[in-house]
Structure formats: C-alpha cells, structure tokens
Amino acid sequence: MTEQKPPAQTEEDLRKRKIRSFVRREGRLTKGQEKAMAEQWPVMGIDFSSELLSLDAVFGRAAPRVLEIGFGMGGSLVEMAAAAPEQDFIGIEVHTPGVGACLMGAAEAGLTNLRVMCHDAVEVFEQMLPEQSLDRVQLFFPDPWHKKRHHKRRIVRPEFVEMVRSKLKIGGEFHMATDWENYAEHMLEVMNAAPGYANAAHSGSPGDYMPRPDYRPLTKFEQRGHRLGHGVWDLIFTRTA
C-alpha cells in the first residue's frame, strides 16, 4: 500500500495557524451599542478588504493621520479625535462591543474625523494601508501576555514593528504605552534593535521612556493605577529611514 501524503497547506490554513496577539471576544452589545453599529457603521465604519485604502477618499480631505490599534471601549480615542479636529483618526479593535461604544461616543460628540475597523490589525496593515500613509501609530496598553510561555503572543515583535515602520511617514511616530514594566522592557529591547527608528526620548528626556504626552488622555484605569502606586511607561520611536 502506498503512503498517502498529507494535503498541501493552503494560505488560508497557514493564516488560521498564525499566532494571534489577541483573543477575539464578541460579547453582548448593549441596545445603545447595537443602535450605534446599525446607524453609525455605514458612516464611520470601514469594512475589511484585500485592497489598499485611499485615506484621502475615506475622510474626504488630506490631513495628518493617526491610527490606534486596540482602542478598547473607545473613550480615549473619541477624546483625542475631538481635541484635534485638524487630524484624522482611525481605530482598529476586535471587540465588537468596544467598536459599538466608540461609534456611540463619536456620534454623540459629532465627530467627522474618526473611522473605525473591527478586524485583526496585522491583516489591515498588511493588506489595506498604503506605505508611508500615517503620521502616528498608537498602541496603548496592549495585552501583556505576562506568563513567559505566552510572550510569543505579544504584538510588539520585530516583524510587527517593521510593518508599522513601512506605513509611517518619515518622521512619523510609533507611540506605545504599558503598565507592565516587563513588557516596557521588552518593547524597548525590540525597538532598539529595529532598523530605521530613533528613540524620541533621547532627544530631550532623560532615560529611555517619555512622560505621557498631553494628547494621550489619562484613563480611569490609569488614574486608579497611579493611586495604587503602579507605573506606566510611554515609549515613542520616530521613523528615520
């Protein structure tokens, strides 16, 4: 009897096996979130596709562009977009209730400079974002995957930061923040080894980390952490090449 070879793996098989930096949590939408998804997604939502986006067409203008990965419930992102109407903001989040909450907040604030996506950020970067199209990429309080055996799931890895660099304009910034010191050290190690980046802290602040910039809102979670004596580390790296 001849030995049967296993079927060749398709690109779809490989994609499914890819290590994810997140766990998709659908969750239940509140009535307000459900209403916002139905009414605001056609206005502010961007559906995933394998074609490059024209960001000028999406926003109907040319402006500085800020993209945030993993915006949670969207409160900070809405606040940032409201405070900087001259900039355009894109948020990517895999948690559907968070997307609904963000759309609800954006509608209440009357924002026209915010768009959201509900998809894996890595696939969005790979397939939808043009090269050198962003002025800032934000990654605030990503899952630290604090157990050592889970470190491979951390989103800040060499291949990821190289992908981010390709989408940033020269002089654009990659801004990360975490409340896990071990993850801050990991981020710093990865970024220091990444080509084409410079640590913005070295141009003015002592040490490797930055004080929280005014544009990043202080969250309730962060305020509580400060009261309990927990640290928060901001890292900002500029694309130089």
Side-chain angles (χ1 to χ4, degrees):
M1 193 170 78
T2 57
E3 184 182 350
Q4 285 195 335
K5 292 182 179 178
Q9 289 191 322
T10 65
E11 275 190 36
E12 179 68 11
D13 293 329
L14 293 171
R15 188 184 69 77
K16 285 178 179 174
R17 287 184 57 209
K18 192 162 62 175
I19 294 171
R20 300 282 182 178
S21 63
F22 61 88
V23 175
R24 187 178 287 279
R25 299 167 297 122
E26 291 300 333
R28 256 200 163 151
L29 279 73
T30 65
K31 286 187 177 178
Q33 291 165 1
E34 201 170 344
K35 185 170 184 280
M37 288 292 284
E39 294 179 356
Q40 301 304 324
W41 183 266
V43 181
M44 285 184 270
I46 301 174
D47 292 312
F48 176 77
S49 79
S50 55
E51 296 182 359
L52 281 180
L53 278 177
S54 166
L55 296 180
D56 286 359
V58 166
F59 288 98
R61 66 175 183 174
R65 303 269 152 70
V66 179
L67 184 146
E68 181 164 347
I69 299 168
F71 56 74
M73 299 305 281
S76 294
L77 183 58
V78 167
E79 190 176 333
M80 281 185 279
E86 76 284 358
Q87 299 177 358
D88 291 331
F89 290 79
I90 304 165
I92 305 176
E93 175 57 59
V94 294
H95 186 45
T96 311
V99 175
C102 184
L103 288 172
M104 192 162 58
E108 287 171 359
L111 299 183
T112 59
N113 62 331
L114 175 62
R115 301 289 184 272
V116 298
M117 297 193 68
C118 189
H119 199 77
D120 176 6
V122 171
E123 292 179 1
V124 172
F125 269 73
E126 287 174 344
Q127 300 186 49
M128 296 187 72
L129 293 177
E131 305 283 293
Q132 297 196 48
S133 59
L134 303 174
D135 293 84
R136 187 167 74 240
V137 172
Q138 300 177 166
L139 180 68
F140 299 154
F141 306 102
D143 194 324
W145 293 105
H146 57 277
K147 292 181 180 176
K148 196 164 186 180
R149 68 177 185 272
H150 290 155
H151 283 187
K152 64 181 180 291
R153 292 184 176 273
R154 289 176 166 178
I155 191 169
V156 180
R157 301 190 296 267
E159 62 273 20
F160 173 76
V161 302
E162 173 54 30
M163 184 173 65
V164 168
R165 186 181 73 89
S166 71
K167 309 304 179 183
L168 284 170
K169 297 174 183 176
I170 302 294
E173 293 180 339
F174 182 23
H175 180 184
M176 296 155 278
T178 181
D179 59 340
W180 282 80
E181 187 172 13
N182 173 267
Y183 200 3
E185 291 167 349
H186 167 84
M187 289 172 168
L188 186 62
E189 183 181 348
V190 171
M191 294 305 298
N192 281 339
Y197 281 106
N199 191 338
H202 294 167
S203 63
S205 303
D208 294 311
Y209 302 104
M210 299 281 286
R212 177 182 61 86
D214 290 339
Y215 65 76
R216 182 172 79 73
L218 193 64
T219 65
K220 289 180 182 176
F221 167 79
E222 199 174 345
Q223 288 172 331
R224 180 176 174 272
H226 285 319
R227 288 197 300 271
L228 295 172
H230 299 168
V232 172
W233 292 266
D234 282 77
L235 299 90
I236 300 179
F237 277 76
T238 304
R239 179 178 178 180
T240 58

